[in-house]
Amino acid sequence: ARIVTDVLMYAEKRDSSQGLIKIKERTVLPDKDCTPLQRSKKTSAMIAIDGGGHTGMYVLYQAVDAAREAVSSTGIALVTTSNTRSSTGATGYYARRLADEGYIAIVLAGSPKGMAVTGGSDPVLGTNPIAIAIPTTGASIVFDSATAAITWFSVINARDNDQQLPGGVAIDETGTATRDPEAAMRGALRT
């Protein structure tokens, strides 16, 4: 619960779509029958974590710890996660944790299909967020972005608050540009 709260509040304080809305949408819960995380070392620098159905935020937090351990002895680390139950939340949170400790971090997350490729109309890609963080002598520099023109949770937030989407971020199920969140949810987000 502490980890989920930290991740959600990190996003909420930055006015990110990855904050408290995830509680309302019930995307922070683990499987009711989750199992302990399984960490397997592929090489000294490569680790795979089976999330056992735990919330993505908890699993990715553990992945950061695994990366820190590996990079301290090898100078580089690659950690993969699988079998998570829910969203990882703001990927910048995890990248910043590593950068604040002096490491360059790249965090990638997959997501369900919801985005059409440029020129297409079918949702074939996820919004697949990317975060890159670089330590500096002051505050770490963090880039955190979805690969879509808008995040899925921004669409949900617009729907729940009876708001229109910005122009050019979504299409309806016929491939026509739309600002209606409901129509966008039936159609696709744009790149």
Side-chain angles (χ1 to χ4, degrees):
R2 179 190 55 78
I3 292 167
V4 170
T5 300
D6 286 351
V7 175
L8 294 178
M9 291 312 296
Y10 172 89
E12 199 66 29
K13 287 189 245 179
R14 287 161 179 77
D15 199 27
S16 164
S17 65
Q18 302 303 302
L20 297 176
I21 188 171
K22 291 190 177 269
I23 294 172
K24 182 175 72 74
E25 292 296 314
R26 302 181 60 77
T27 61
V28 297
L29 301 173
D31 282 341
K32 61 181 176 182
D33 298 322
C34 60
T35 59
L37 270 63
Q38 298 293 315
R39 191 189 285 195
S40 58
K41 203 169 204 176
K42 304 300 182 183
T43 71
S44 57
M46 294 175 61
I47 299 163
I49 298 176
D50 179 327
H54 285 273
T55 178
M57 294 174 205
Y58 173 71
V59 176
L60 196 49
Y61 192 93
Q62 301 305 317
V64 168
D65 289 345
R68 185 186 315 103
E69 291 168 22
V71 79
S72 67
S73 62
T74 63
I76 191 166
L78 171 67
V79 180
T80 63
T81 63
S82 63
N83 194 19
T84 59
R85 166 67 169 89
S86 61
S87 169
T88 57
T91 52
Y93 170 85
Y94 310 98
R96 181 179 295 277
R97 278 187 67 212
L98 288 164
D100 286 349
E101 294 179 23
Y103 303 110
I104 295 171
I106 301 171
V107 178
L108 311 168
S111 55
K113 295 176 184 177
M115 180 174 65
V117 296
T118 302
S121 60
D122 294 328
V124 296
L125 301 172
T127 59
N128 305 333
I130 298 170
I132 301 168
I134 302 166
T136 69
T137 54
S140 299
I141 298 170
V142 179
F143 168 80
D144 183 359
S145 179
T147 57
I150 191 169
T151 68
W152 188 254
F153 280 92
S154 292
V155 176
I156 291 170
N157 194 44
R159 177 201 66 196
D160 292 352
N161 290 297
D162 295 322
Q163 297 172 340
Q164 293 289 297
L165 299 174
V169 301
I171 53 177
D172 65 19
E173 55 198 336
T174 69
T176 304
T178 185
R179 295 188 64 208
D180 176 11
E182 292 278 356
M185 293 173 93
R186 290 187 305 273
L189 306 181
R190 299 185 99 164
T191 56

